[in-house]
């Protein structure tokens, strides 16, 4: 296509309006027209990355193949577009400043006074263009975290202003706002949108397209009014109404010609509207699946927050659709589980999912759930800490090591079935000190996992400090818990399973990060299949 085009997605009025979904939907529509697209997220907080953040702050930490701990919106980008993102797709203010300060210390600025404009803004602009120039994408979509009017967002907005000026038609700004419905007045209100656009204009940015998030249908008259007050073309005001699934949003945007408007504004040929074949097939299949009697999966964990297990929930939903069955995820707080209440807590559950996590809180409840699931042969899937818990519970109850534990939970345990690797011990810096990103794993013949994957060699993403202790491997295998996935380079155990049970699998890696709409993850598909047949 020649020069890379840049689309900026900003948000106003309130947070959580779904900028990530709108960015992903735009990406999907452009991709369906044959363009290569990537999406990046700029987060205006000072942390270098979200790796050290509590999930209650910004939800789950997503991990890219190249081992970057990233914002969960990157998960949406990958699930929608089926692409792999990298470290360059998620930048924080912390990283921007760090890079500028490092350059300053190196003397790169030749004695100049370092200022937000131009040094910080230049660094932001460099990071926007990096994906376009290095990887030669046709479109780079840049989502700006936070809302317009935040102090933290200002340097990003100033960078967008400059880029729009420099790039002309090759840059475009999509602004997402909210149109509330006042029940007492029976009216939809556009004033917050007008204010939000004014806020953008006050920093020199005229949005090209407005996406209005609303719970009620917006009339043509209302859109016309918004267009007039905000200096935006009428056909460039689109609505984004609550949809039964986020995966319908690309179609809702296409129906309003959002992709055509973008292409026209950027001086590109419009051509025929692509039919999003496989995507639509997924949605149709999903709709049928959703009309079935749901199976219940217990998600046992300590984070009472939907976003904390975002990718797991999405992966389970994908797997449900591909098994033509609705999956209902029931959160079970592991802190409350005891031997006395576990039967009640897991009543009616077709499967048990033990999620990732850090630290001691809620860990004993996970053992309670695992023992019950193992003894009652309920299909069970443990991920990362969940897999480690599977190993610990098995060591306590089957191998007879009552004090078995992970070194993370008990420094002094005599039976450290999960332990820290020597090279990790010396590290005190909390950021980026884990085994992160994609590693190879070789699967054992005849195992459930090789059957699910249909291949012997896989690559999966990791994010953990502790590992299965190989000194105990033989004892586990002799007692019926097999190590069916091994890292061929290091010999580390990546998967454990109990072949005698219907489906009892734990993975040290995070398969949930790589489940996408058009390519559901084989382990999730296999797990849900087992849960249905329970
Ligand atoms: N806390 C465990 C570790 O560091 C597991 C991490 C996780 O579940 N992501 O090894």
């Amino acid at each position: 296509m020649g020069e890379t085009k840049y689309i900026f997605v900003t948000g106003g009025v309130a947070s959580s309006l779904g900028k990530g979904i709108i960015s992903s939907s735009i990406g999907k529509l452009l991709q369906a027209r044959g363009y290569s697209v990537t999406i990046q997220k700029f987060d205006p907080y000072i942390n270098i990355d979200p790796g050290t953040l509590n999930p209650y702050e910004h939800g789950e930490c997503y991990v890219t193949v190249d081992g970057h701990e990233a914002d969960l919106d990157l998960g949406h980008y990958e699930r929608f577009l089926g692409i792999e993102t990298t470290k360059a797709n998620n930048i924080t203010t912390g990283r921007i400043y760090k890079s500028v300060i490092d350059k300053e210390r190196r003397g790169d600025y030749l004695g100049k006074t370092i200022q937000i404009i131009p040094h910080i803004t230049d660094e932001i602009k460099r990071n926007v263009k990096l994906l376009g120039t290095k990887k030669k994408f046709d479109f780079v979509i840049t989502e700006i975290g936070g809302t317009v009017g935040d102090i933290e967002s200002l340097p990003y907005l100033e960078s967008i202003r400059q880029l729009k000026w420099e790039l002309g038609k090759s840059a475009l700004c999509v602004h997402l706002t909210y149109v509330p419905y006042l029940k007492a007045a029976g009216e939809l209100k556009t004033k917050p949108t007008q204010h939000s656009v004014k806020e953008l204009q006050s920093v020199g940015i005229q949005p090209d397209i407005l996406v209005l998030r609303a719970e009620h249908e917006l009339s043509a008259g209302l859109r016309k009014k918004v267009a007039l007050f905000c200096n935006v073309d009428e056909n460039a005001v689109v609505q984004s109404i609550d949809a039964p699934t986020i995966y319908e949003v690309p179609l809702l945007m296409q129906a309003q010609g959002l992709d055509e408007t973008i292409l026209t504004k950027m001086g590109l040929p419009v051509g025929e509207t692509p039919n999003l074949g496989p995507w639509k097939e997924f949605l149709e299949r999903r709709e049928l699946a959703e009309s079935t009697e749901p199976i219940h999966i217990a998600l046992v964990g300590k984070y009472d927050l939907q976003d904390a297990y975002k990718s797991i929930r999405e992966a389970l939903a994908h797997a449900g659709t591909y098994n033509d069955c609705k999956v209902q995820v029931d959160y079970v707080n592991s802190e409350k589980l005891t031997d006395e209440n576990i039967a009640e807590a897991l009543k009616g559950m077709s499967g048990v999912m033990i999620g990732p996590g850090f630290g001691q809180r809620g860990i004993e409840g996970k053992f309670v759930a695992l023992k019950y699931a193992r003894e009652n042969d309920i299909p069970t899937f443990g991920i990362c800490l969940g897999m480690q818990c599977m190993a610990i519970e098995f060591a306590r109850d089957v191998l007879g090591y009552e004090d078995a534990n992970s070194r993370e939970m008990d420094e002094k345990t005599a039976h450290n079935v999960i332990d820290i690797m020597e090279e990790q011990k010396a590290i005190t810096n909390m950021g980026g000190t884990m085994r992160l990103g994609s590693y190879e794993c070789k699967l054992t013949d005849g195992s459930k996992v090789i059957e699910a994957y249909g291949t012997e060699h896989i690559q999966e993403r990791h994010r953990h400090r502790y590992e299965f202790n190989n000194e105990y491997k033989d004892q586990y295998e002799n007692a019926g818990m097999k190590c069916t996935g091994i890292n061929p380079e290091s010999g580390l155990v990546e998967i454990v399973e109990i072949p005698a049970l219907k489906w009892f699998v734990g993975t040290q890696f995070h398969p949930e990060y790589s489940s996408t709409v058009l390519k559901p993850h084989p382990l999730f598909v296999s797990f849900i299949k087992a849960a249905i047949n329970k």
Side-chain angles (χ1 to χ4, degrees), residues 113-161:
T113 307
I114 310 305
Q115 295 179 299
I116 292 181
I117 306 171
H119 302 98
I120 295 297
T121 47
D122 277 354
E123 183 63 16
I124 293 173
K125 285 161 67 182
R126 191 180 70 80
N127 276 283
V128 171
K129 286 186 172 170
L130 205 62
L131 282 171
T133 43
K134 268 213 173 141
K135 297 263 173 77
K136 293 252 173 285
F137 287 103
D138 295 330
F139 282 92
V140 175
I141 300 175
T142 302
E143 176 190 347
I144 309 292
T147 29
V148 168
D150 297 344
I151 290 178
E152 288 89 343
S153 305
L154 281 172
Y156 293 100
L157 297 178
E158 168 60 14
S159 308
I160 296 177
R161 185 195 67 75

Side-chain angles (χ1 to χ4, degrees), residues 355-359 383-386 388 408-409 418 434 463-467 508 510:
F358 291 83
I383 294 183
C384 209
L385 181 62
Q388 298 176 351
E408 180 180 11
M409 314 303 161
I418 304 296
M434 291 186 268
R463 180 179 183 243
H464 53 98
R465 258 182 215 102
Y466 298 83
E467 307 280 356
Q508 185 59 81
H510 291 263

Side-chain angles (χ1 to χ4, degrees), residues 271-408:
E272 267 177 45
T273 306
N275 108 21
L276 294 149
W279 193 265
K280 278 189 184 152
E281 279 160 31
F282 168 82
L283 284 172
E284 280 158 20
R285 194 163 177 185
R286 183 190 172 277
E287 203 182 328
L288 282 177
E290 290 300 297
S291 64
T292 62
E293 192 58 38
I295 59 155
H296 290 259
I297 301 293
L299 175 54
V300 181
K302 66 175 175 180
Y303 301 115
D304 180 11
L305 171 88
Q306 294 245 349
D307 273 359
Y309 302 106
K310 187 83 195 158
S311 295
I312 289 183
R313 286 175 178 276
E314 293 303 317
L316 286 170
H318 301 158
T321 293
Y322 285 92
N323 275 291
D324 303 302
C325 175
K326 179 178 166 83
V327 172
Q328 168 80 43
V329 179
D330 296 326
Y331 171 70
V332 176
N333 186 342
S334 61
E335 285 178 277
K336 303 217 165 86
L337 293 178
T338 61
D339 287 328
E340 288 67 46
N341 66 20
I342 187 67
E344 186 56 30
L346 296 186
K347 203 169 136 197
M349 299 294 169
S350 300
V352 174
M353 177 101 228
I354 315 273
F358 291 83
Q360 174 70 37
R361 185 164 68 84
I363 194 98
E364 293 297 325
K366 292 184 183 176
F367 301 141
V368 172
L370 281 166
K371 180 172 159 66
Y372 185 86
R374 185 171 54 76
E375 290 180 344
N376 292 279
D377 201 0
I378 306 175
T380 302
F381 195 175
I383 294 183
C384 209
L385 181 62
M387 172 269 200
Q388 298 176 351
C389 288
M390 279 177 161
I392 296 166
E393 191 278 324
F394 194 85
R396 288 184 181 185
D397 207 56
V398 181
L399 303 184
Y401 300 130
E402 260 176 50
D403 65 341
N405 217 331
S406 160
R407 186 82 75 186
E408 180 180 11

